[in-house]
Structure formats: structure tokens, C-alpha cells
């Protein structure tokens, strides 16, 4: 067995070594830095294609590789999901309007390690409903992260997110989930953002995975458009998402994708 790869649990989840945390942190910090830089480029009149072009340029200049360009035929360095798009929005000619909310999702590879993160932005100022959705989605992610510690289960993470979101009369998307990562883009486990406390695999030190809840103002159902990528809310209600990549430590977790300049949550001027 290649000891660098660590061991697998009975659930097929890889346990990484202490020395692997640094590689994940480097990759995660680059992804977070790129998203920090994008905050100056989201405004009414901007196109999602131009944001993606800037991201592609930053990935190249950093000497990194985009994990999404060429992934299952995808041709962009980011997914940009606007308003009622839940995830996997394709950058293009779409022009942002005043009050549009959007998720930008970036995954980079550095020295074989994957850094995966997404966050919300606003073109101009959001309306109150959109602002509240963004805040609750951000806080739901952080509730999930609080539950991510050895001895807890993946069900504890999902339950924390679901209980919080539904207590604010919002719904959790069921059709997409977080995932294991490390030296691969997607690996076991599937990290559900809903569920029963105490169920699922037990968290162990050395597990690496994303938590990336998608929260809707309306109902949770989604549909995928004819492009086979773009997922939207069936009822056209607004959707928001935040994503961090984390590693389980001896007493909690390390967030690899923390914003270097504190811009993970959009600020409202």
C-alpha cells in the first residue's frame, strides 16, 4: 500500500496523513484568493464570461491547473450560478443586473491537491429577501462545519444544516451534495446537507471533504436544463450556496478555503 495515500475506512473514505494537510491548505488558499479578487469584478453590466476569463487567467498565472476545464467535457474554470440557478451555471454572455445574486465556484489543482470553494456575490445591492437568503445559507454552512469533528457523524453535519435552514422557512436542495476530495476531485463520501443526527459514517481525523449547502427560498426541487449542466429551482425561487473544503483534525476541523482577506461573505455597502 502507498502510505502517502493513507488508508480507507470500511465506508471507502480515505484517511489522509498529517503531512497532507499542508498541500490541501495551499490549494484551498489559492482558490479562496481567486474568489477574493473576483469581488471587485462583480457589478451590474459585467458578464459571467468575463468573470470566468479573469479566473482562468489567475489560475494560469499561479502555475495551477483548473480542475473543471475538460472535466466531463466542461470548458470553463468556474461555475457561475445566478439567481434561481442552483449550481453548475455555465459562464457566458449573460449580463448581470442590479440586485442579481450569484455563486462562483472554483476548483484548482496545485501539486496534485484539489482546492474547491464557492461563495455568493451581489451585483449592486440585494433586495431584503436575497440578503436574508445569503445570510442564512452562509450560517447554515457554518453550522455544518461546527458539527464536523471526530466522533460525530455525517448525519450530524446534514442535520445541523437542515434544522437551521428549515427553522428560517427555507429549504435544502436534496439533488446535490458535498464530496470527499484530496488528490482527486470527487471521492467518497457523499456529504448530504440534510439528514438525521447520529446516522452515516463516523468522522475521523484525516478525512478531507467539502460542505456546500444549496438553500432555496422556495421548494427544494431542482431540474437540469438541456445543456446537461445548469441546475435550476423548479419553482424559479432564488437559491444560494457557500462551499468550504475542510479536513478533520484531532479536535475539530481545519478549513482549507478560508478567505485570506475576510471576503467569504459578501458585504453590503
Amino acid at each position: 500500500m502507498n502510505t502517502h495515500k493513507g488508508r480507507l475506512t470500511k465506508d471507502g473514505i480515505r484517511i489522509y496523513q498529517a503531512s497532507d494537510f499542508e498541500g490541501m491548505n495551499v490549494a484551498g488558499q489559492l482558490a479562496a484568493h481567486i474568489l477574493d479578487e473576483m469581488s471587485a469584478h462583480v457589478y451590474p453590466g459585467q458578464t459571467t464570461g468575463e468573470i470566468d476569463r479573469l479566473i482562468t487567467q489567475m489560475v494560469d498565472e499561479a502555475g495551477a491547473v483548473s480542475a473543471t476545464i475538460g472535466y466531463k467535457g466542461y470548458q470553463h474554470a468556474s461555475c457561475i450560478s445566478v439567481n434561481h440557478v442552483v449550481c453548475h451555471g455555465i459562464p457566458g454572455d449573460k449580463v448581470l443586473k442590479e440586485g442579481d445574486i450569484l455563486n462562483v465556484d472554483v476548483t484548482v489543482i496545485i501539486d496534485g491537491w484539489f482546492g474547491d470553494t464557492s461563495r455568493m456575490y451581489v451585483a449592486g445591492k440585494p433586495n431584503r429577501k436575497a440578503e436574508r437568503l445569503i445570510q442564512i445559507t452562509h450560517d447554515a454552512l457554518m453550522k455544518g462545519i461546527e458539527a464536523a469533528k471526530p466522533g460525530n457523524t455525517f448525519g450530524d453535519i446534514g442535520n445541523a444544516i437542515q434544522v437551521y435552514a428549515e427553522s428560517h422557512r427555507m429549504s435544502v436542495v436534496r439533488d446535490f451534495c458535498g464530496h470527499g476530495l484530496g488528490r482527486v476531485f470527487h471521492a467518497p463520501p457523499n456529504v448530504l446537507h440534510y439528514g438525521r443526527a447520529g446516522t452515516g459514517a463516523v468522522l475521523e481525523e484525516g478525512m478531507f471533504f467539502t460542505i456546500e449547502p444549496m438553500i432555496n427560498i422556495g421548494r427544494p426541487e431542482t431540474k437540469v436544463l438541456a445543456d446537461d449542466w445548469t441546475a435550476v429551482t423548479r419553482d424559479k425561487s432564488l437559491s444560494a450556496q457557500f462551499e468550504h473544503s475542510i479536513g478533520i483534525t484531532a479536535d475539530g476541523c481545519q478549513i482549507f478555503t478560508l478567505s485570506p482577506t475576510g471576503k467569504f461573505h459578501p458585504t453590503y455597502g
Side-chain angles (χ1 to χ4, degrees):
M1 176 178 162
N2 183 343
T3 55
H4 179 77
K5 291 182 177 178
R7 65 178 177 84
L8 292 179
T9 71
K10 63 181 176 60
D11 299 293
I13 303 169
R14 189 164 298 286
I15 304 296
Y16 287 91
Q17 299 175 329
S19 57
D20 296 331
F21 277 71
E22 181 53 32
M24 286 296 289
N25 199 59
V26 169
Q29 284 297 288
L30 174 61
H33 168 66
I34 290 170
L35 291 188
D36 279 5
E37 292 296 307
M38 288 309 107
S39 60
H41 299 284
V42 176
Y43 48 80
Q46 177 66 291
T47 67
T48 57
E50 175 61 11
I51 296 168
D52 183 71
R53 187 192 69 78
L54 292 164
I55 290 169
T56 306
Q57 182 178 313
M58 286 194 71
V59 173
D60 291 345
E61 288 173 352
V65 174
S66 166
T68 53
I69 294 176
Y71 178 78
K72 295 185 177 178
Y74 196 76
Q75 294 302 315
H76 303 276
S78 64
C79 293
I80 302 181
S81 304
V82 182
N83 292 335
H84 72 290
V85 178
V86 174
C87 60
H88 303 157
I90 302 174
D93 296 333
K94 182 174 178 60
V95 177
L96 298 176
K97 303 190 301 294
E98 175 69 31
D100 279 348
I101 66 170
L102 55 150
N103 175 274
V104 182
D105 191 337
V106 170
T107 307
V108 299
I109 312 169
I110 301 181
D111 295 330
W113 296 104
F114 285 69
D116 185 3
T117 183
S118 82
R119 67 180 76 156
M120 296 301 293
Y121 300 82
V122 181
K125 276 187 73 75
N127 64 40
R128 287 304 305 273
K129 282 173 65 173
E131 186 173 345
R132 183 169 172 268
L133 170 66
I134 289 171
Q135 185 66 53
I136 288 166
T137 305
H138 172 273
D139 294 349
L141 168 63
M142 302 317 291
K143 293 284 186 188
I145 288 174
E146 284 173 21
K149 55 189 176 185
N152 276 4
T153 67
F154 282 97
D156 292 328
I157 295 173
N159 183 257
I161 292 167
Q162 180 181 6
V163 167
Y164 184 79
E166 292 180 355
S167 75
H168 291 278
R169 298 190 161 191
M170 297 195 179
S171 64
V172 179
V173 170
R174 268 43 171 197
D175 298 335
F176 302 93
C177 61
H179 52 89
L181 82 170
R183 287 191 167 275
V184 292
F185 195 174
H186 297 102
N190 288 334
V191 183
L192 305 182
H193 304 117
Y194 62 94
R196 288 193 298 121
T199 63
V202 176
L203 300 169
E204 295 183 43
E205 183 178 359
M207 289 180 173
F208 296 165
F209 53 90
T210 71
I211 307 178
E212 47 184 297
M214 288 142 272
I215 307 297
N216 298 345
I217 283 181
R219 293 184 53 80
E221 291 84 8
T222 70
K223 64 178 179 180
V224 176
L225 302 184
D227 60 28
D228 288 334
W229 284 103
T230 308
V232 300
T233 55
R234 281 192 174 273
D235 62 6
K236 299 293 199 298
S237 64
L238 287 180
S239 185
Q241 179 186 23
F242 284 88
E243 174 184 15
H244 271 317
S245 295
I246 69 171
I248 301 298
T249 62
D251 57 358
C253 68
Q254 178 180 345
I255 303 174
F256 300 126
T257 47
L258 283 174
S259 165
T261 58
K263 294 178 181 174
F264 186 65
H265 187 293
T267 54
Y268 306 114

